[in-house]
Amino acid sequence: MRGQYKALIAILPASICGYLLMRSAFVTSQKPDLSADSWKVLTDAVAVWDIGPLPSVTMDLENTVNYQLNSTTYNNAQWSALAPGGGIVHLGPNHTPYLPSFFHQLRCLDIIRLFYAAQEQDMINKDAKEAAAATHCLNYLRQMLFCRSDLNLESVISGDPDHHAVASRRTQTCRDWRVVYEALGRNQAIGGNV
């Protein structure tokens, strides 16, 4: 079972850490509209945080020395900074708390990282609360990957049939996550979740 966690953890940082490295936590002093118009309902009563359109940006996916797996003060601070204030936004006249999926996914990566680090140090057992959270997060991230089905082709470096490494990807076009962090900062400054 430990080998499965190692395989999963080996794949996640290569594909996600480059993305996370490029994000910005810039916060402006502009106050958000905390009225009911701060979200919109799509079909099937699915609600989304309405911060306006996210412009396209380009990004090179690459490995990074940041966002390491082990649980150190420095690494924990880097991972925690990916979801400031837990990623919670407060919307509507009652400042109702919500967790946008983007921040839920980032928090789940951190939960899996911490679970993996604890497993490596034999600090938790199979029945621990952390195991339940890690299981939830693996399932949640699996569902989000299905939901967003990225069909960009990646080169595979052939070799051992049981193992392969994916070659570096070309520049990707992404939605500008900096806009999300700016809106989160404004919301938390006004919404009471500082």
Side-chain angles (χ1 to χ4, degrees), residues 11-30:
I11 294 168
L12 287 175
S15 61
I16 297 172
C17 285
Y19 174 81
L20 300 178
L21 175 65
M22 303 296 289
R23 69 105 178 125
S24 168
F26 177 73
V27 178
T28 67
S29 60
Q30 181 181 357

Side-chain angles (χ1 to χ4, degrees), residues 10-164:
I11 294 168
L12 287 175
S15 61
I16 297 172
C17 285
Y19 174 81
L20 300 178
L21 175 65
M22 303 296 289
R23 69 105 178 125
S24 168
F26 177 73
V27 178
T28 67
S29 60
Q30 181 181 357
K31 295 183 178 183
D33 175 13
L34 294 175
S35 69
D37 295 333
S38 295
W39 67 83
K40 61 183 172 185
V41 176
L42 303 177
T43 59
D44 299 325
V46 174
V48 296
W49 185 26
D50 188 11
I51 61 172
L54 298 177
S56 293
V57 294
T58 58
M59 176 184 62
D60 292 322
L61 289 135
E62 58 191 9
N63 290 326
T64 176
V65 298
N66 294 301
Y67 306 105
Q68 295 296 307
L69 294 177
N70 57 341
S71 180
T72 66
T73 302
Y74 181 77
N75 291 337
N76 293 345
Q78 280 192 319
W79 280 93
S80 180
L82 292 174
I88 303 295
V89 297
H90 293 89
L91 303 174
N94 296 325
H95 303 276
T96 306
Y98 293 94
L99 179 60
S101 180
F102 174 74
F103 294 110
H104 189 176
Q105 293 166 43
L106 291 172
R107 287 173 60 176
C108 272
L109 286 173
D110 193 27
I111 288 169
I112 293 168
R113 175 190 69 88
L114 291 170
F115 181 76
Y116 174 79
Q119 287 275 75
E120 287 296 302
Q121 297 173 8
D122 294 324
M123 293 174 57
I124 61 174
N125 61 44
K126 293 178 186 176
D127 298 324
K129 181 179 174 182
E130 291 84 1
T135 300
H136 156 78
C137 285
L138 283 171
N139 188 49
Y140 178 72
L141 291 172
R142 177 189 59 80
Q143 292 173 11
M144 292 299 98
L145 289 169
F146 274 111
C147 182
R148 289 161 177 84
S149 300
D150 182 355
L151 297 179
N152 283 292
L153 299 176
E154 298 177 336
S155 299
V156 174
I157 300 171
S158 60
D160 182 340
D162 294 328
H163 299 89
H164 70 274

